[in-house]
Amino acid sequence: MPGEAKSLCVDDLRHAEYYGMQPVYDELYRRSKDGETLTNLMDIIMKRENILLAYRNIKTNGGSYTAGTDNRNITDIGRMTPEEVVEKVRFIVTGSRHGYRPKPVRRKDIPKPNGKTRPLGIPCIWDRLIQQCIKQVMEPICEAQFSDNSYGFRPNRSAEHAIARTYSLMQVTHLHYVIEFDIKGFFDNVNHSKLIKQIWAMGIRDKQLIFVIRRILTAPIRMPDGTTILPDKGTPQGGIISPLLANIVLNELDHWVESQWQNNPVAVARGRYRIIGKNEVFDKSHGYRTMKSTNLKEMYIVRYADDFRIFCRSKEDAEKTREAVTRWLEERLRLEVSPEKTRTVNVRKRYSEFLGFKIRVRQKAKKYTVQSHICDKKFGIEREKLVEQAKRIARPSEGKTPLGEIRTYNSMVMGIQNYFEIATCISLDCRIIHRQVMTVLTNRLNSEKGCKLQREGGTMPQAEKERYGRSKMVRYVAGIDQPIYPLAFVKNRIPHSKRSAVCSYTAEGRKPIHTNLRLNPFVLEGLRSMASGGHSTEYADSRISLFSAQGGKCAVSGEEFRSASEIACWLKKPRKDGGQERYQNMILLHYRYLPLLEISDMAKLTALTKTLNMTKKQVSKVNRLREQAGLAAID
């Protein structure tokens, strides 16, 4: 309808609404924000709805199809009934007399561009499901206490927000001395005892949950050579809960750095609330002016996971801060800072590297403005990857076609543009790579009959036309309708800052990013609590998705369902013909129309359509479903 507000959706929030868990998470967030201690959290973690929500959240992750040491993946869980899944999770965690014992984690070494490898730990799928159950409950508790200066692996935060904050501190706040810290093997060296104490200090006081987390941390690791080791420190990279635990470890560092200046008691005591734009903010500028006459050192931290930068106003302050933070990390968190990779940079003279960008400030008139590029290391990696992929367009890999190679190349181009378009000099960097790629393509697609690389080709879909339609750098390979995206056709975009009003765990905080479900909550509750009747977990989950996708209405008549008992779920391709219980093969209709898909007698079918007062359009919809099921159409 004209004037109707656009519907917004965040997947994780929508999934929590499907399973009725959002009010529970909101309450945990509120209690944590109020400083309450939280016990009996395992009761929430082991709730049926929380377990099925965990399945919903991890099944969309491509990594869930990677098997652990038990050679099982998410498909094996999806085939079981919801009752079986819930019962097994509860038994694994609390049913054994020995308590929770995770299976060995499969170690896989991922090659890095510098020739070294990064160890990745792949837990078994049941252990991943349990970790997701725990993460869903712990995250709102931790979010209430995490620092605003942390941006990695948190809801509603991203690398773009971290870069926007970096630009602001350099250009607006004029902090031109940046300390680049590097923690030696952070994920491999997290101290378990310290981490448990930090979790306890956050108010998470459920001893059974603490026991389960400790078991996750000490899960055996199956090495590539078949040997098994028992870790006494570190969190396995690859575990679903590992990023959350890493943020808990370094949250103490965030708050300690903030207490030195940003949230110093003097600044807080002299601060006051002000309205800036549409937001109410706590202004501490008067306190900062008072603090400038003291020996306190001005410093701000920006952290993304274990990668963080500290910004200072003078070289002297930066050197003292570097020494203090290094000692603090060693003494308080028992983490070692790499002296070779940790350095202080004057960004008026040199570039500072952060999250794949290299950033400095240059003088323009009487002020300094930010200048940023793709960092040298990342630039070299991306250039090499694109050149190699361009070669494959001319000579595809075994089993692939030129069209498939072009699509792979295009996805790489869009990935680079989407991430690095917030660099002020992105067009200059991309132009260099684009020129080299075009040279390779021109040379390799050249033949005696002429060059196969052409300026004209097929028509672009609307999405491609909006993005690349105005570019004269688009090229086609003769005979292929797919354009080759021009890497150099990219424009710098100002990075968006984190909006302080946005929060996933308050009704007001969700309004800017998410629209609540406009469905009958009683029908939805009945649908998710309905007995499986022998159907799979995937079937039950997809049924909820369909209810939302169909707007809570029958697919045949368009009438709204008034209760869950009215809903019949029909498989378009029957199971006897190989049809699977998956979203694409399912449709919801009112139970009164189900006989129309089950009866074969044409006279009975005709009589039933008259009894139901069906329109031609409704009969046509039923006939399409009958045709898909291999049944004769109703006359």
Side-chain angles (χ1 to χ4, degrees), residues 615-625:
T615 64
K616 288 183 178 180
K617 186 176 181 180
Q618 291 171 349
V619 173
S620 176
K621 290 179 181 179
V622 171
N623 279 336
R624 280 199 297 270
L625 293 174

Side-chain angles (χ1 to χ4, degrees), residues 284-302:
K284 292 173 279 191
S285 58
H286 185 64
Y288 293 149
R289 284 194 295 271
T290 303
M291 290 159 58
K292 285 184 182 293
S293 61
T294 69
N295 291 326
L296 293 170
K297 297 170 184 62
E298 188 172 358
M299 63 178 81
Y300 292 82
I301 186 171
V302 178

Side-chain angles (χ1 to χ4, degrees), residues 116-150:
K116 298 181 180 180
T117 59
R118 175 182 287 108
L120 187 69
I122 305 173
C124 293
I125 191 62
W126 284 103
D127 294 321
R128 272 179 270 175
L129 184 65
I130 290 165
Q131 288 189 28
Q132 179 66 29
C133 292
I134 295 170
K135 176 180 178 287
Q136 288 167 181
V137 172
M138 284 185 61
E139 189 168 68
I141 300 170
C142 297
E143 277 296 311
Q145 301 182 49
F146 278 162
S147 164
D148 283 336
N149 294 310
S150 163

Side-chain angles (χ1 to χ4, degrees), residues 344-458:
T344 302
V345 178
N346 179 353
V347 293
R348 293 194 297 266
K349 298 179 179 179
R350 291 187 296 164
Y351 286 102
S352 173
E353 296 188 357
F354 189 38
L355 301 178
F357 296 82
K358 63 176 187 179
I359 312 167
R360 60 168 292 175
V361 292
R362 63 184 181 88
Q363 194 164 10
K364 186 177 182 181
K366 295 183 179 181
K367 61 180 181 180
Y368 285 95
T369 59
V370 162
Q371 180 182 24
S372 57
H373 296 260
I374 304 173
C375 76
D376 297 340
K377 182 179 176 181
K378 189 69 175 175
F379 181 87
I381 293 170
E382 298 298 344
R383 178 174 59 183
E384 184 178 341
K385 285 164 60 177
L386 285 175
V387 168
E388 286 302 312
Q389 186 60 33
K391 293 176 182 177
R392 294 192 187 101
I393 293 174
R395 294 178 179 82
S397 304
E398 186 176 352
K400 292 191 175 182
T401 63
L403 177 60
E405 298 291 10
I406 290 173
R407 286 174 175 166
T408 300
Y409 174 86
N410 287 347
S411 67
M412 294 166 66
V413 167
M414 290 185 68
I416 293 171
Q417 290 177 338
N418 290 343
Y419 185 80
F420 288 106
E421 65 181 346
I422 57 176
T424 60
C425 300
I426 180 62
S427 59
L428 298 177
D429 295 340
C430 286
R431 195 179 303 164
I432 296 169
I433 302 176
H434 178 80
R435 189 180 298 116
Q436 187 169 349
V437 167
M438 284 298 108
T439 300
V440 169
L441 282 173
T442 302
N443 291 339
R444 293 189 175 240
L445 291 172
N446 212 358
S447 66
E448 294 178 356
K449 296 181 181 180
C451 185
K452 294 182 180 179
L453 196 65
Q454 302 175 349
R455 292 177 181 270
E456 302 295 332

Side-chain angles (χ1 to χ4, degrees), residues 45-104:
I45 291 169
M46 291 293 103
K47 281 187 68 170
R48 179 180 189 272
E49 292 79 9
N50 192 60
I51 294 170
L52 296 179
L53 173 59
Y55 167 79
R56 171 66 181 243
N57 282 330
I58 68 173
K59 79 170 185 177
T60 55
N61 186 343
S64 63
Y65 294 91
T66 303
T69 54
D70 61 352
N71 293 319
R72 295 183 179 276
N73 62 32
I74 194 64
T75 306
D76 297 295
I77 295 178
R79 292 195 189 104
M80 301 169 64
T81 67
E83 292 83 3
E84 290 171 337
V85 171
V86 171
E87 183 180 357
K88 178 148 187 178
V89 168
R90 289 173 177 171
F91 177 78
I92 292 172
V93 177
T94 61
S96 170
R97 64 188 180 90
H98 298 291
Y100 176 54
R101 285 186 174 180
K103 290 185 177 180

